[in-house]
Amino acid sequence: MAFHSVVCIKQVPDTTQVRIDPETGSLVRKGIPSVINPFDLFAVEAALRLRDEHGGTVTALCMGPPQAEEALRKVLGYGVDRAVLVTDRAFAGADTLATTYTLAAAIRKIAGARNDQKAAGNEGGEAGPRDADGEPVDLVFCGKQSIDGDTGQVGPGLARRLGFSQLTYVCSLLQIDPEKRKLRAWRQREDGRELLEADLPVAVTITEACNRIRYASLPDLLAAADKKIDTWRADDLDAERGRLGLKGSPTRVNRIFAPPVRQRGETVGEPGMEPAAVAALLFDRLSERGMKPGVARA
Amino acid sequence: MPEDRPKISKNSPDDAARAGKDAAQDSSTAGGEVWVVVEQVAGEAAPVSWELMGEARALAEALGVRAAAVILGAGAPELARQAFSYGAAAAYTGSDPALEPFITDPHCQALVDLARAHQPQIILLGATTRGRDLASAAATELETGLTADCTHLEIDEAKGLLKQTRPAFGGNVMATIITPNHRPQIATVRPGVFPLPEAAAEAGGEIIESRPAITAAAAAVRQLQFLPNPGEESLMGAHVIVAGGRGMRSAHNFALLEKLATELGGTVAASRAAVDAGWISQRRQVGQTGQTVRPLLYIAVGISGAVQHLAGIQESDVIVAINSDPDAPIFDVADYGIVGDLFEIVPALIEEAHARLSGAAGSDAAGERQIGVEST
Amino acid sequence: MSAATSRYDAIVVGGGPAGLAAAYTLAKGGASVVCLERGDWSGSKNMMGGLIYSQPTGSVFPEFWREAPLERHVTRRDMWLATGDSAIKLSFETADFAVEPYNSFTVYRSSFDKWLSRQTAAAGALMIRETLVEDLLWDGGRIAGVRTGRPQGDLEADVVIIAEGVNTFLTEKAGLSPCPPRAANVALAVKEVLALPKERIEDRFDLDPGAGAAIEIIGETTGGLPGTGFIYTNRDTISVGVGVLLDSLVDNRAEAYNLLERFKQQSQVRRLIQGAAPREYSAHLIPEGGYSCMPRLYGDGVLVAGDAAGMVNAINSEGANLALLSGKMAAETVLACRERGDFSAAALGRYRLLLEDTVILKDLRKYDNATKFLSTHHHLFGLYPELMAALAREFLTVDQLSKAEKERLLLKLFRSQVPTRRLLKDFYQAWRALT
Ligand SMILES: Cc1cc2nc3c(=O)[nH]c(=O)nc-3n(C[C@H](O)[C@H](O)[C@H](O)COP(=O)(O)OP(=O)(O)OC[C@H]3O[C@@H](n4cnc5c(N)ncnc54)[C@H](O)[C@@H]3O)c2cc1C
Ligand SMILES: Cc1cc2nc3c(=O)[nH]c(=O)nc-3n(C[C@H](O)[C@H](O)[C@H](O)COP(=O)(O)OP(=O)(O)OC[C@H]3O[C@@H](n4cnc5c(N)ncnc54)[C@H](O)[C@@H]3O)c2cc1C
Ligand SMILES: Nc1ncnc2c1ncn2[C@@H]1O[C@H](COP(=O)(O)O)[C@@H](O)[C@H]1O
């Protein structure tokens, strides 16, 4: 039995290069290369492996500016079957609530839902948010978090909005039972790992421990180049304007500022000093900071 | 409660709204409270919950309202008592078989019901794998703002808003976020950000019991098995981390780091180079494509300090670097740098730690931070 | 469709100016073409001083200046003869260069090549990145495709255009290279990009808003080694660098990086870059062997273009424009051959004829001896600038000596350093080699 997975990928600035301009206090983003959120590549790989094993389709979905098409083109090269970019000025400034609202609307459309009410209201007879290629979605994959927003909120938010089961921080996808429509996976927790079973449809977020993205084959890369990327705007979705982008975002950024910079600290010990003396010096320094070697384990 | 205080918006298509109305009937409390959702496993609370309780109390005082704990699942009376001792004036409890063990969906339903019924203005949760999940789900259901991983919380006295400060862009930027027009304002906070408050011996409070209305849909996810970390402490909550890089040269040499970590009551982690070399499990990787850690003490051994690695350790309280190359970039972020051969330095550190430990056991002055926590 | 079995009319190896011009022209001409680039992006592994010229660039990518990411149009070209603390400056500036389509621009290769590659993709060429071509596929004596480092990585085509740049690994594999690149034939260029606010650059270099300067410096800047230093103004950065023949670096046990540091310390240079913050550092090779070091340009099923074909005019530091033009001609040749379905060496030989008619071969022939001359005449870079500066300094210093006495003194100084016959010979040879 074949499954239809949607993988949500986000294009993010290479955060290792993002800085606050010390003079203007504003974010310096110009000239900073965009990359696919690294965790999302683990999600892509997870979806591809599932497809390679059971057959089906993988659709990549990205909300972002037009140039985010690059990210989608890249994952097409890994063998993703279909790519959808939702892009519109109306989406700008979205926080996670508005993002999940938009992505959920896109996923519904990908799943082939149609909204007759809105289509009827459409003057030009254009059948609103109806997707001819629509196909029910069994799984939504997300990265465990994005490296710019760093929230990990979009995956659970999507599960909620779509009414899917929620399975986050998955560190190992075990198996899927096509008959009973159940997925088993290990989930990473602070105190251990838990084996969970979830009914499909399910929204899964994937951690780095899950897999490594494949090295795309040349035929996949060549095929990717010919694929069309569907681009949808706000009007193509069954979505209320007021719930999109900044308007639909309950949170506001009040202020941004540079974090206190880590200063180069002190060099402990000198060349040629006995290691034991260096060690003693270090522990002295640490206890000056109020840190003492802890109570040893029993 | 001021008249113009924004109301919780209802998420129309959901049956939770209906459940919310039912729950509202047994509500007698004032609303506008500051809540902490207590995270617990089998009746034992995660320390972050009490760290947050202390903070919630301070925020509640600034707002002139009550701080309250939300205890869903087992162990309610005892946990409520603890919550009171850490500063809660009230505890909302809810018990249902579906709440044990923790699965997000039923907890979300229960929390959303309570929030609709009692209209808190702030809800705080630990930024843990569970807290983050529950917060996201509940905030979506309540259609309100959620700020993740806050490192500082403050009440804007003039507007009565919660100012939530958090790192973004891999820690290169700090942002203060507000939720001006939606309630509740929800935030998650990582463990260890706020100090554990002093527990008051005799403290009481009001217990508000409820019967969460949990739908069958909540059974869509089931826990089949749980494997506690086998001796290896998770990186996520670790207070001391000893991390090794390519300089370790072999898997075998990581035993050295294990030893040091054991002495300090910490755990071992690694750079990607060490993970890629197969010396240690990927679960121990720190950095941009690994985990972000926030220990009190991070000791980087034989790690050069590539930006991708630094992205994961920026928020450590104290960083110690041991590297033979004096120009290694790790020294630019290290509070204490030791230039030398790790195979000489680390054994010396193990001995010194051991010696100090046997001398100092049990004599820690109150209030002093310890490296490492007692593990049971 | 199974892409594995699909054949292409042409494969272009390398996504630099030469490869992109070839792929673009082929795609525009209706051929199916794949361009393979090993870097993340075209340009990601490239660096250049760098100037690109409007006419040749525009002849491949029409009206590129309207949209391409360009830094500044160059209105001033300087040539300095410098010692550690002095410089004789020759400056040419014209308003003609300040009007569309302009004469030349400073560019960042990373963003400029990326733009070219976008245009090429938009024209219909298939751009495949992060893919290393490891080998050529042969069908008897004919080149039939390439082998990449990817899984199922073989790709076939009627013709392969090699535009791999200065490291001529595949050109050699194709059996076209007459002289493997030796240290004597390549220069190593190291470059630093320094950030400085736009207005400060314009003030400092005395430029109209948006206009730029290119400065070439001979002398002390390279520590007396054969090579030049350069300064180019970008929008809000300055590129400074030095290029030195590799063998002289090796012979003199010099480190390119130290040369660059020394260059930046030169009094007049230092003033221009003062307070500018380092942004990035890069190094790249330039083939400077000239005409006699060029490989055979064609074979059965294969053509070579750009740096891979040794097409660099070292004297005027032009390479990108030759790369663009040669890539275009290679593509035009393939398009013509495609009509007749004949990709034999005999048919592809037309490429060489096309090139004969262009500035490329004419200039390369003309300057063929230049590099050899420069590499054997180190004193042109060390001694002569010193002498010239001494001369100027002495002449312009007003003191107790009469001008006649000064002349006598300088002549003596000159003679003591360079025998007259040598001087005459140098100038004659320089004239022959460089003009
Ligand atoms: C997209 C991307 C994501 C990445 N994500 C991560 C990530 O999440 N985490 C991560 O760590 N890296 C990540 N990397 C890799 C990162 O760029 C570095 O390659 C990696 O961190 C290097 O690991 P290292 O410091 O252990 O090794 P090296 O850089 O090789 O450093 C080894 C160090 O050990 C020192 N040393 C050697 N012998 C001794 C000795 N006897 N005594 C003392 N010191 C010694 C050396 O001086 C050197 O400084 C990522 C890279 C990319 C491109
Ligand atoms: C410091 C410096 C200053 C310069 N200044 C100027 C100037 O001002 N004006 C000017 O006109 N010229 C200048 N040049 C010269 C100019 O940069 C080159 O002549 C020009 O880039 C040549 O283009 P190309 O396409 O032949 O080669 P390249 O630009 O080198 O492109 C070759 C491409 O092929 C790729 N490649 C190589 N091998 C493989 C493989 N096996 N598989 C896949 N991909 C491969 C490479 O990654 C590269 O992207 C300068 C050069 C330098 C170094
Ligand atoms: N704009 C977006 N488009 C597509 N997917 C997204 C977007 N934002 C977030 N995601 C997905 O949600 C995950 C978690 O993101 P975040 O909640 O921002 O940390 C990411 O790893 C992506 O899989």
Side-chain angles (χ1 to χ4, degrees):
Chain A
M1 205 202 116
F3 298 100
H4 183 197
S5 302
V6 172
V7 193
C8 296
I9 63 165
K10 185 178 188 186
Q11 199 185 37
V12 294
D14 178 352
T15 53
T16 53
Q17 298 186 34
V18 176
R19 291 278 175 282
I20 294 274
D21 183 323
E23 273 160 37
T24 62
S26 60
L27 210 57
V28 185
R29 289 181 88 158
K30 201 186 135 216
I32 291 176
S34 292
V35 296
I36 298 175
N37 182 38
F39 296 108
D40 301 354
L41 291 177
F42 305 120
V44 170
E45 180 64 25
L48 289 175
R49 286 187 188 179
L50 196 73
R51 183 201 61 188
D52 292 349
E53 192 179 336
H54 296 276
T57 321
V58 176
T59 302
L61 168 64
C62 176
M63 177 182 92
Q67 57 268 30
E69 192 185 307
E70 238 168 60
L72 287 167
R73 185 69 64 195
K74 175 135 187 170
V75 299
L76 283 174
Y78 291 119
V80 162
D81 301 286
R82 182 184 179 196
V84 176
L85 175 67
V86 289
T87 183
D88 198 306
R89 274 183 204 285
F91 303 145
D95 70 2
T96 53
L97 193 75
T99 299
T100 55
Y101 180 75
T102 310
L103 290 177
I107 292 170
R108 283 194 201 101
K109 177 162 170 167
I110 289 170
R114 56 175 301 179
N115 182 314
D116 295 308
Q117 212 181 332
K118 188 160 178 210
N122 252 351
E123 280 292 302
E126 273 284 324
R130 180 176 176 184
D131 186 21
D133 309 329
E135 180 192 336
V137 174
D138 305 297
L139 299 106
V140 169
F141 285 97
C142 286
K144 79 164 178 188
Q145 65 196 47
S146 58
I147 58 168
D148 56 347
D150 235 348
T151 73
Q153 285 164 198
V154 169
L158 281 175
R160 210 69 212 161
R161 290 201 186 270
L162 296 166
F164 283 22
S165 318
Q166 172 175 335
L167 207 54
T168 56
Y169 300 97
V170 165
C171 54
S172 154
L173 264 185
L174 273 192
Q175 35 166 273
I176 195 159
D177 181 335
E179 259 66 76
K180 301 207 181 96
R181 294 183 54 79
K182 287 182 202 314
L183 174 74
R184 278 186 187 189
W186 285 97
R187 175 177 188 272
Q188 186 68 49
R189 269 168 43 178
E190 288 78 1
D191 53 349
R193 304 162 114 209
E194 58 190 348
L195 179 62
L196 297 176
E197 182 180 69
D199 296 341
L200 299 190
V202 60
V204 186
T205 79
I206 300 285
T207 73
E208 63 286 354
C210 217
N211 55 48
R212 278 272 182 269
I213 187 74
R214 60 194 56 196
Y215 189 44
S217 75
L218 192 60
D220 276 346
L221 272 187
L222 295 173
D226 290 335
K227 282 188 190 144
K228 186 172 132 281
I229 292 177
D230 292 310
T231 303
W232 296 341
R233 320 206 125 256
D235 287 341
D236 298 319
L237 300 177
D238 175 22
E240 293 165 35
R241 283 268 165 179
R243 297 172 77 177
L244 301 173
L246 193 62
K247 267 196 220 153
S249 297
T251 61
R252 287 284 176 278
V253 177
N254 194 34
R255 183 168 96 91
I256 54 168
F257 54 102
V261 273
R262 280 207 101 89
Q263 298 290 344
R264 192 188 174 97
E266 175 192 345
T267 304
V268 177
E270 283 141 31
M273 205 172 192
E274 277 300 310
V278 179
L281 213 53
L282 177 68
F283 281 108
D284 288 347
R285 290 287 181 276
L286 291 177
S287 45
E288 282 160 25
R289 290 197 119 167
M291 293 181 152
K292 288 220 164 156
V295 186
R297 288 158 200 239
Chain B
M1 180 168 83
E3 277 307 313
D4 56 357
R5 195 175 66 78
K7 291 282 185 302
I8 294 170
S9 50
K10 293 266 197 288
N11 201 6
S12 41
D14 288 294
D15 49 351
R18 173 197 50 78
K21 277 195 208 98
D22 293 349
Q25 281 153 16
D26 50 280
S27 149
S28 57
T29 46
E33 294 170 340
V34 180
W35 286 6
V36 172
V37 179
V38 176
E39 182 173 331
Q40 52 129 337
V41 179
E44 193 173 327
V48 65
S49 305
W50 304 143
E51 293 162 14
L52 288 178
M53 206 64 245
E55 181 67 13
R57 183 185 179 164
L59 298 174
E61 259 165 36
L63 290 163
V65 298
R66 293 205 296 194
V70 176
I71 300 160
L72 300 172
E78 168 56 18
L79 287 173
R81 195 195 57 74
Q82 289 179 36
F84 298 149
S85 76
Y86 286 112
Y92 295 87
T93 65
S95 52
D96 186 288
L99 295 172
E100 286 295 336
F102 178 95
I103 297 288
T104 306
D105 198 16
H107 277 255
C108 174
Q109 291 191 18
L111 177 60
V112 165
D113 284 0
L114 282 174
R116 290 212 170 111
H118 302 284
Q119 312 256 328
Q121 59 177 312
I122 294 173
I123 304 180
L124 305 179
L125 300 94
T128 58
T129 50
R130 278 183 253 169
R132 276 177 153 213
D133 266 23
L134 177 54
S136 312
T140 308
E141 201 75 16
L142 294 166
E143 297 249 353
T144 187
L146 165 59
T147 307
D149 286 2
C150 298
T151 54
H152 183 78
L153 298 172
E154 192 185 332
I155 299 295
D156 179 333
E157 302 279 348
K159 299 190 187 117
L161 286 175
L162 180 64
K163 296 209 292 190
Q164 309 157 100
T165 298
R166 64 173 304 237
F169 294 102
N172 288 324
V173 172
M174 299 298 290
T176 303
I177 312 250
I178 51 170
T179 303
N181 303 315
H182 295 67
R183 293 295 175 273
Q185 307 161 81
I186 310 184
T188 65
V189 178
R190 290 218 194 135
V193 166
F194 295 119
L196 194 64
E198 200 86 10
E202 284 305 316
E206 185 190 357
I207 294 186
I208 302 117
E209 286 178 48
S210 68
R211 282 163 289 105
I214 292 169
T215 63
V221 180
R222 299 162 294 276
Q223 190 197 64
L224 304 181
Q225 199 183 338
F226 174 68
L227 286 183
N229 290 325
E232 88 178 6
E233 193 190 340
S234 132
L235 291 180
M236 290 173 176
H239 289 274
V240 176
I241 293 176
V242 182
R246 205 195 307 273
M248 294 309 297
R249 284 195 223 142
S250 74
H252 175 72
N253 291 333
F254 267 81
L256 212 53
L257 302 186
E258 290 284 358
K259 245 190 193 155
L260 180 58
T262 309
E263 290 299 337
L264 298 175
T267 186
V268 173
S271 75
R272 172 143 152 197
V275 170
D276 286 347
W279 301 338
I280 186 166
S281 141
Q282 214 281 332
R283 273 179 294 147
R284 311 310 284 174
Q285 181 183 321
V286 169
Q288 194 191 80
T289 42
Q291 301 190 48
T292 303
V293 295
R294 206 186 165 287
L296 297 174
L297 177 62
Y298 188 87
I299 306 185
V301 185
I303 291 178
S304 60
V307 276
Q308 293 90 352
H309 187 79
L310 300 186
I313 66 170
Q314 293 287 359
E315 294 168 57
S316 307
D317 269 18
V318 173
I319 296 176
V320 173
I322 302 164
N323 199 304
S324 48
D325 172 8
D327 296 326
I330 188 79
F331 288 125
D332 292 337
V333 300
D335 300 275
Y336 302 105
I338 300 180
V339 180
D341 183 354
L342 71 94
F343 295 103
E344 293 175 6
I345 303 292
V346 175
L349 288 176
I350 294 171
E351 268 195 23
E352 183 69 21
H354 192 76
R356 291 199 182 210
L357 218 62
S358 8
S363 71
D364 290 297
E368 245 188 2
R369 271 203 287 179
Q370 299 170 348
I371 305 175
V373 282
E374 204 162 0
S375 90
T376 43
Chain C
M1 178 200 81
S2 164
T5 55
S6 65
R7 273 177 56 96
Y8 293 84
D9 291 334
I11 294 168
V12 176
V13 182
L20 293 171
Y24 178 86
T25 308
L26 281 165
K28 283 272 173 194
S32 63
V33 51
V34 185
C35 179
L36 300 162
E37 164 61 42
R38 67 181 166 188
D40 286 3
W41 267 105
S42 291
S44 70
K45 293 246 164 77
N46 290 339
M47 65 94 83
M48 194 171 96
L51 286 193
I52 62 126
Y53 291 86
S54 298
Q55 197 281 330
T57 310
S59 77
V60 187
F61 297 92
E63 311 228 316
F64 72 97
W65 61 86
R66 296 194 193 281
E67 280 170 23
L70 304 165
E71 294 294 314
R72 290 170 181 272
H73 56 267
V74 175
T75 54
R76 197 171 71 233
R77 301 287 298 264
D78 283 10
M79 176 80 138
W80 296 5
L81 220 52
T83 69
D85 55 7
S86 344
I88 297 170
K89 303 180 180 178
L90 194 68
S91 182
F92 176 72
E93 191 174 352
T94 173
D96 292 349
F97 289 173
V99 292
E100 278 189 4
Y102 309 100
N103 177 56
S104 63
F105 295 93
T106 51
V107 296
Y108 264 146
R109 278 291 294 279
S110 49
S111 44
F112 186 70
D113 283 16
K114 201 165 173 171
W115 184 84
L116 292 183
S117 113
R118 287 226 168 89
Q119 304 312 109
T120 308
L126 235 176
M127 303 296 307
I128 302 290
R129 295 181 269 139
E130 293 173 271
T131 302
L132 178 73
V133 174
E134 296 178 342
D135 207 347
L136 299 165
L137 301 179
W138 294 82
D139 175 5
R142 184 183 74 87
I143 287 175
V146 298
R147 168 158 297 166
T148 69
R150 289 200 173 266
Q152 305 163 60
D154 286 1
L155 199 60
E156 291 180 13
D158 290 331
V159 60
V160 175
I161 297 178
I162 301 177
E164 60 181 336
V166 60
N167 294 313
T168 52
F169 172 73
L170 293 172
T171 311
E172 281 160 46
K173 284 214 161 194
L176 300 174
S177 189
C179 72
R182 282 178 296 114
N185 297 326
V186 292
L188 176 67
V190 292
K191 184 185 86 165
E192 225 172 70
V193 176
L194 307 166
L196 199 66
K198 202 161 104 216
E199 296 75 20
R200 300 260 307 270
I201 291 179
E202 282 154 10
D203 272 359
R204 216 175 258 192
F205 287 80
D206 188 19
L207 296 164
D208 286 333
I215 305 174
E216 198 132 347
I217 301 158
I218 295 179
E220 160 61 23
T221 58
T222 51
L225 299 182
T228 52
F230 57 83
I231 302 176
Y232 295 110
T233 54
N234 303 314
R235 203 182 301 266
D236 51 12
T237 58
I238 305 172
S239 301
V240 290
V242 292
V244 181
L245 281 177
L246 203 51
D247 69 339
S248 63
L249 269 183
V250 176
D251 292 349
N252 293 277
R253 295 216 180 79
E255 291 265 10
Y257 185 70
N258 292 338
L259 287 183
L260 179 55
E261 278 310 304
R262 181 167 172 170
F263 176 54
K264 284 162 61 189
Q265 292 310 318
Q266 199 278 344
S267 301
Q268 283 73 27
V269 174
R270 196 173 56 211
R271 202 169 58 214
L272 287 179
I273 62 173
Q274 209 158 42
R279 270 270 186 82
E280 57 181 70
Y281 174 82
S282 54
H284 199 90
L285 295 173
I286 311 177
E288 297 200 338
Y291 185 77
S292 52
C293 270
M294 287 174 67
R296 204 171 141 221
L297 296 174
Y298 57 94
D300 281 325
V302 66
L303 292 171
V304 191
D307 277 13
M311 293 176 185
V312 166
N313 174 346
I315 300 308
N316 301 337
S317 50
E318 291 170 24
N321 55 336
L322 304 188
L324 284 162
L325 280 180
S326 63
K328 181 183 178 211
M329 314 239 119
E332 282 167 353
T333 307
V334 169
L335 288 172
C337 292
R338 187 166 157 257
E339 304 224 313
R340 274 171 279 119
D342 179 4
F343 297 95
S344 65
L348 290 170
R350 187 191 147 93
Y351 174 47
R352 168 100 208 183
L353 295 176
L354 281 175
L355 286 170
E356 289 290 351
D357 255 2
T358 63
V359 291
I360 302 181
L361 288 188
K362 288 181 187 160
D363 280 0
L364 285 172
R365 263 204 207 96
K366 178 171 155 71
Y367 294 122
D368 188 30
N369 289 318
T371 304
K372 211 180 304 142
F373 170 77
L374 296 179
S375 65
T376 49
H377 293 70
H378 287 204
H379 42 288
L380 280 179
F381 298 90
L383 184 58
Y384 287 163
E386 284 294 347
L387 290 175
M388 297 289 284
L391 195 140
R393 188 184 298 113
E394 196 53 55
F395 238 83
L396 298 173
T397 311
V398 174
D399 53 19
Q400 298 305 316
L401 290 183
S402 73
K403 296 292 186 249
E405 281 169 306
K406 283 184 189 243
E407 267 170 31
R408 233 173 297 132
L409 209 92
L410 284 168
L411 212 59
K412 216 164 121 199
L413 173 73
F414 246 84
R415 288 229 178 91
S416 71
Q417 301 285 331
V418 212
T420 316
R421 273 188 35 215
R422 165 91 175 278
L423 187 73
L424 289 175
K425 198 170 135 217
D426 278 354
F427 273 99
Y428 175 71
Q429 286 180 343
W431 175 262
R432 290 280 313 269
L434 304 179
T435 62

